[in-house]
PDB file of all heavy atoms in Angstrom:
ATOM      1  N   GLU A1081     -26.926 -18.370   6.375  1.00 98.00           N
ATOM      2  CA  GLU A1081     -26.455 -18.974   5.124  1.00 98.00           C
ATOM      3  C   GLU A1081     -25.116 -19.681   5.337  1.00 98.00           C
ATOM      4  O   GLU A1081     -24.899 -20.782   4.803  1.00 98.00           O
ATOM      5  CB  GLU A1081     -26.342 -17.905   4.040  1.00 98.00           C
ATOM      6  CG  GLU A1081     -27.698 -17.374   3.619  1.00 98.00           C
ATOM      7  CD  GLU A1081     -27.639 -16.385   2.475  1.00 98.00           C
ATOM      8  OE1 GLU A1081     -26.534 -15.842   2.197  1.00 98.00           O
ATOM      9  OE2 GLU A1081     -28.693 -16.141   1.873  1.00 98.00           O
ATOM     10  N   PHE A1082     -24.229 -19.078   6.110  1.00 99.00           N
ATOM     11  CA  PHE A1082     -22.949 -19.724   6.394  1.00 99.00           C
ATOM     12  C   PHE A1082     -23.164 -21.052   7.120  1.00 99.00           C
ATOM     13  O   PHE A1082     -22.461 -22.037   6.855  1.00 99.00           O
ATOM     14  CB  PHE A1082     -22.061 -18.804   7.234  1.00 99.00           C
ATOM     15  CG  PHE A1082     -21.430 -17.666   6.464  1.00 99.00           C
ATOM     16  CD1 PHE A1082     -21.731 -17.440   5.128  1.00 99.00           C
ATOM     17  CD2 PHE A1082     -20.528 -16.811   7.076  1.00 99.00           C
ATOM     18  CE1 PHE A1082     -21.149 -16.400   4.420  1.00 99.00           C
ATOM     19  CE2 PHE A1082     -19.936 -15.769   6.382  1.00 99.00           C
ATOM     20  CZ  PHE A1082     -20.254 -15.558   5.059  1.00 99.00           C
ATOM     21  N   ASN A1083     -24.136 -21.090   8.033  1.00 99.00           N
ATOM     22  CA  ASN A1083     -24.450 -22.360   8.705  1.00 99.00           C
ATOM     23  C   ASN A1083     -24.879 -23.420   7.700  1.00 99.00           C
ATOM     24  O   ASN A1083     -24.521 -24.600   7.832  1.00 99.00           O
ATOM     25  CB  ASN A1083     -25.554 -22.140   9.743  1.00 99.00           C
ATOM     26  CG  ASN A1083     -25.075 -21.424  10.986  1.00 99.00           C
ATOM     27  OD1 ASN A1083     -23.894 -21.465  11.322  1.00 99.00           O
ATOM     28  ND2 ASN A1083     -25.985 -20.752  11.670  1.00 99.00           N
ATOM     29  N   THR A1084     -25.649 -23.015   6.706  1.00 98.00           N
ATOM     30  CA  THR A1084     -26.091 -23.944   5.663  1.00 98.00           C
ATOM     31  C   THR A1084     -24.900 -24.490   4.884  1.00 98.00           C
ATOM     32  O   THR A1084     -24.800 -25.700   4.637  1.00 98.00           O
ATOM     33  CB  THR A1084     -27.069 -23.243   4.708  1.00 98.00           C
ATOM     34  OG1 THR A1084     -28.203 -22.780   5.439  1.00 98.00           O
ATOM     35  CG2 THR A1084     -27.527 -24.196   3.602  1.00 98.00           C
ATOM     36  N   TYR A1085     -23.984 -23.593   4.484  1.00 99.00           N
ATOM     37  CA  TYR A1085     -22.796 -24.036   3.752  1.00 99.00           C
ATOM     38  C   TYR A1085     -21.924 -24.928   4.643  1.00 99.00           C
ATOM     39  O   TYR A1085     -21.344 -25.918   4.178  1.00 99.00           O
ATOM     40  CB  TYR A1085     -21.972 -22.841   3.276  1.00 99.00           C
ATOM     41  CG  TYR A1085     -22.749 -21.794   2.517  1.00 99.00           C
ATOM     42  CD1 TYR A1085     -22.356 -20.455   2.550  1.00 99.00           C
ATOM     43  CD2 TYR A1085     -23.888 -22.126   1.780  1.00 99.00           C
ATOM     44  CE1 TYR A1085     -23.062 -19.478   1.866  1.00 99.00           C
ATOM     45  CE2 TYR A1085     -24.607 -21.150   1.097  1.00 99.00           C
ATOM     46  CZ  TYR A1085     -24.194 -19.829   1.147  1.00 99.00           C
ATOM     47  OH  TYR A1085     -24.893 -18.864   0.485  1.00 99.00           O
ATOM     48  N   GLY A1086     -21.835 -24.573   5.914  1.00 98.00           N
ATOM     49  CA  GLY A1086     -21.036 -25.370   6.838  1.00 98.00           C
ATOM     50  C   GLY A1086     -21.585 -26.766   7.022  1.00 98.00           C
ATOM     51  O   GLY A1086     -20.819 -27.736   7.086  1.00 98.00           O
ATOM     52  N   ALA A1087     -22.906 -26.886   7.087  1.00 98.00           N
ATOM     53  CA  ALA A1087     -23.515 -28.211   7.224  1.00 98.00           C
ATOM     54  C   ALA A1087     -23.260 -29.052   5.982  1.00 98.00           C
ATOM     55  O   ALA A1087     -22.957 -30.253   6.078  1.00 98.00           O
ATOM     56  CB  ALA A1087     -25.019 -28.064   7.467  1.00 98.00           C
ATOM     57  N   ALA A1088     -23.351 -28.425   4.809  1.00 98.00           N
ATOM     58  CA  ALA A1088     -23.106 -29.152   3.560  1.00 98.00           C
ATOM     59  C   ALA A1088     -21.640 -29.572   3.455  1.00 98.00           C
ATOM     60  O   ALA A1088     -21.326 -30.674   2.990  1.00 98.00           O
ATOM     61  CB  ALA A1088     -23.497 -28.277   2.372  1.00 98.00           C
ATOM     62  N   ALA A1089     -20.729 -28.692   3.894  1.00 98.00           N
ATOM     63  CA  ALA A1089     -19.308 -29.036   3.861  1.00 98.00           C
ATOM     64  C   ALA A1089     -19.005 -30.164   4.841  1.00 98.00           C
ATOM     65  O   ALA A1089     -18.255 -31.098   4.515  1.00 98.00           O
ATOM     66  CB  ALA A1089     -18.464 -27.804   4.193  1.00 98.00           C
ATOM     67  N   ARG A1090     -19.577 -30.093   6.027  1.00 98.00           N
ATOM     68  CA  ARG A1090     -19.320 -31.144   7.021  1.00 98.00           C
ATOM     69  C   ARG A1090     -19.798 -32.501   6.530  1.00 98.00           C
ATOM     70  O   ARG A1090     -19.157 -33.535   6.795  1.00 98.00           O
ATOM     71  CB  ARG A1090     -19.974 -30.794   8.350  1.00 98.00           C
ATOM     72  CG  ARG A1090     -19.596 -31.782   9.455  1.00 98.00           C
ATOM     73  CD  ARG A1090     -20.061 -31.353  10.822  1.00 98.00           C
ATOM     74  NE  ARG A1090     -21.503 -31.441  10.981  1.00 98.00           N
ATOM     75  CZ  ARG A1090     -22.125 -31.316  12.147  1.00 98.00           C
ATOM     76  NH1 ARG A1090     -21.433 -31.066  13.247  1.00 98.00           N
ATOM     77  NH2 ARG A1090     -23.429 -31.395  12.219  1.00 98.00           N
ATOM     78  N   ALA A1091     -20.903 -32.510   5.792  1.00 98.00           N
ATOM     79  CA  ALA A1091     -21.405 -33.767   5.250  1.00 98.00           C
ATOM     80  C   ALA A1091     -20.420 -34.392   4.263  1.00 98.00           C
ATOM     81  O   ALA A1091     -20.467 -35.602   4.019  1.00 98.00           O
ATOM     82  CB  ALA A1091     -22.755 -33.544   4.569  1.00 98.00           C
ATOM     83  N   ARG A1092     -19.523 -33.573   3.721  1.00 97.00           N
ATOM     84  CA  ARG A1092     -18.478 -34.052   2.799  1.00 97.00           C
ATOM     85  C   ARG A1092     -17.147 -34.262   3.512  1.00 97.00           C
ATOM     86  O   ARG A1092     -16.135 -34.548   2.864  1.00 97.00           O
ATOM     87  CB  ARG A1092     -18.273 -33.043   1.676  1.00 97.00           C
ATOM     88  CG  ARG A1092     -19.512 -32.638   0.895  1.00 97.00           C
ATOM     89  CD  ARG A1092     -19.916 -33.668  -0.132  1.00 97.00           C
ATOM     90  NE  ARG A1092     -20.849 -33.078  -1.089  1.00 97.00           N
ATOM     91  CZ  ARG A1092     -20.553 -32.770  -2.354  1.00 97.00           C
ATOM     92  NH1 ARG A1092     -19.336 -32.996  -2.821  1.00 97.00           N
ATOM     93  NH2 ARG A1092     -21.464 -32.243  -3.149  1.00 97.00           N
ATOM     94  N   GLY A1093     -17.107 -34.069   4.819  1.00 98.00           N
ATOM     95  CA  GLY A1093     -15.860 -34.237   5.558  1.00 98.00           C
ATOM     96  C   GLY A1093     -14.953 -33.030   5.526  1.00 98.00           C
ATOM     97  O   GLY A1093     -13.743 -33.146   5.765  1.00 98.00           O
ATOM     98  N   MET A1094     -15.530 -31.838   5.254  1.00 98.00           N
ATOM     99  CA  MET A1094     -14.744 -30.610   5.171  1.00 98.00           C
ATOM    100  C   MET A1094     -15.262 -29.578   6.159  1.00 98.00           C
ATOM    101  O   MET A1094     -16.348 -29.719   6.707  1.00 98.00           O
ATOM    102  CB  MET A1094     -14.815 -30.040   3.745  1.00 98.00           C
ATOM    103  CG  MET A1094     -14.128 -30.893   2.697  1.00 98.00           C
ATOM    104  SD  MET A1094     -14.301 -30.213   1.023  1.00 98.00           S
ATOM    105  CE  MET A1094     -16.005 -30.665   0.638  1.00 98.00           C
ATOM    106  N   LYS A1095     -14.479 -28.524   6.351  1.00 98.00           N
ATOM    107  CA  LYS A1095     -14.878 -27.391   7.179  1.00 98.00           C
ATOM    108  C   LYS A1095     -15.059 -26.162   6.297  1.00 98.00           C
ATOM    109  O   LYS A1095     -14.162 -25.810   5.525  1.00 98.00           O
ATOM    110  CB  LYS A1095     -13.816 -27.105   8.251  1.00 98.00           C
ATOM    111  CG  LYS A1095     -13.698 -28.174   9.327  1.00 98.00           C
ATOM    112  CD  LYS A1095     -12.620 -27.799  10.348  1.00 98.00           C
ATOM    113  CE  LYS A1095     -12.519 -28.840  11.454  1.00 98.00           C
ATOM    114  NZ  LYS A1095     -11.467 -28.496  12.445  1.00 98.00           N
ATOM    115  N   PHE A1096     -16.195 -25.504   6.441  1.00 99.00           N
ATOM    116  CA  PHE A1096     -16.434 -24.229   5.770  1.00 99.00           C
ATOM    117  C   PHE A1096     -15.835 -23.114   6.624  1.00 99.00           C
ATOM    118  O   PHE A1096     -15.974 -23.112   7.850  1.00 99.00           O
ATOM    119  CB  PHE A1096     -17.930 -23.994   5.588  1.00 99.00           C
ATOM    120  CG  PHE A1096     -18.268 -22.596   5.145  1.00 99.00           C
ATOM    121  CD1 PHE A1096     -18.137 -22.221   3.819  1.00 99.00           C
ATOM    122  CD2 PHE A1096     -18.702 -21.649   6.068  1.00 99.00           C
ATOM    123  CE1 PHE A1096     -18.428 -20.914   3.418  1.00 99.00           C
ATOM    124  CE2 PHE A1096     -18.996 -20.350   5.679  1.00 99.00           C
ATOM    125  CZ  PHE A1096     -18.864 -19.985   4.342  1.00 99.00           C
TER     126      PHE A1096
END
Side-chain angles (χ1 to χ4, degrees):
E1081 292 184 343
F1082 284 5
N1083 286 335
T1084 300
Y1085 308 151
R1090 187 172 71 169
R1092 306 281 196 108
M1094 293 178 284
K1095 291 180 178 179
F1096 169 80

